[in-house]
Amino acid sequence: DVQLVESGGGSVQAGGSLRLSCVASEYTYNTYCMAWFRQAPGKVRERVAVIASDGSTDYADSVKGRFTISKDNDKTTLSLRMNNLKPEDTAKYTCAANKDCVTWYQGGYWGQGTQVTVS
């Protein structure tokens, strides 16, 4: 199984920036679809950003223009750059890998998550 470990969360004031990282236990980024999800207390988990194996990206409307998903050159690190953070971005952010960009809850791999708090 693929192991995913996130880092980079923390507390920041509104308007600030954070960069989340997700390191995989094996080389996955050219064969798996990778994504960042988030879940706030009492809310449904939502997909924030996704990057397919061909490098194409997509974002939730709520973060477009502020967040950037990328694969680092070493092909083992997935990043999420978050700018102009808002209090409503407060959530636990989780990295995921899957064979496609649709069936995340049917066999996908998930990290433990990292908390982001914006005040």
Side-chain angles (χ1 to χ4, degrees), residues 5 11 21 25 31 34 40 44 48 51 54-55 59 65-66 69-71 74-75 78 82 88 90 100 103 109 116:
V5 179
S11 297
S21 295
S25 59
T31 56
M34 307 293 298
V44 176
V48 174
I51 184 165
D54 65 359
Y59 298 90
R66 299 188 298 122
I69 189 171
S70 63
K71 302 175 188 178
D74 63 5
K75 299 290 194 270
L78 180 74
M82 305 184 294
E88 51 263 43
T90 294
D100 59 53
T103 59
Y109 300 101
V116 172

Side-chain angles (χ1 to χ4, degrees), residues 26-105:
E26 60 184 71
Y27 188 88
T28 59
Y29 299 128
N30 282 356
T31 56
Y32 281 74
C33 186
M34 307 293 298
W36 287 95
F37 288 75
R38 69 183 180 187
Q39 186 169 24
K43 295 190 176 181
V44 176
R45 178 185 283 174
E46 67 169 333
R47 194 179 74 184
V48 174
V50 60
I51 184 165
S53 56
D54 65 359
S56 58
T57 60
D58 194 23
Y59 298 90
D61 288 342
S62 58
V63 307
K64 279 182 181 176
R66 299 188 298 122
F67 289 15
T68 303
I69 189 171
S70 63
K71 302 175 188 178
D72 291 354
N73 289 336
D74 63 5
K75 299 290 194 270
T76 60
T77 304
L78 180 74
S79 297
L80 184 68
R81 178 66 178 177
M82 305 184 294
N83 294 328
N84 190 22
L85 283 160
K86 304 175 181 181
E88 51 263 43
D89 294 319
T90 294
K92 185 175 184 180
Y93 286 72
T94 304
C95 168
N98 196 40
K99 60 183 184 302
D100 59 53
C101 296
V102 177
T103 59
W104 294 97
Y105 300 106

